[in-house]
Amino acid sequence: MQAGKLTRRITIQEAATWTTNTFGERSLVWSNVETVCSEKRDLSSRELFQASQVYADVTTMFRIRYRAGLN
């Protein structure tokens, strides 16, 4: 992997704990694991006309260097 392509900084997160808000709803709390350099690659995109609205769908992949312990 060429270092010149790693132009984006992303933060990798993991699910930490479940909490309950004031309405009694359960929500997941995320914690930061590490911030790394990455390469952004748009894999596919499309636009759909659905229910009288334009709907855009983009699939993106972020590629990073190997990190031990990340699954």
Side-chain angles (χ1 to χ4, degrees), residues 1-2 6 11 15 26-27 33 40-41 45 55 61 67:
M1 178 179 296
Q2 297 174 348
L6 303 176
T11 301
R26 292 186 56 172
S27 61
V33 175
K40 179 184 175 195
R41 300 174 77 189
S45 63
Y55 172 74
M61 177 180 73
R67 299 276 180 184

Side-chain angles (χ1 to χ4, degrees), residues 16-52:
T17 58
W18 285 94
T19 60
T20 305
N21 64 12
T22 57
F23 297 107
E25 302 170 332
R26 292 186 56 172
S27 61
L28 189 57
V29 177
W30 294 86
S31 64
N32 295 342
V33 175
E34 192 169 1
T35 300
V36 295
C37 294
S38 68
E39 172 189 3
K40 179 184 175 195
R41 300 174 77 189
D42 289 325
L43 301 178
S44 66
S45 63
R46 62 184 177 155
E47 286 186 359
L48 304 168
F49 186 73
Q50 189 174 28
S52 300

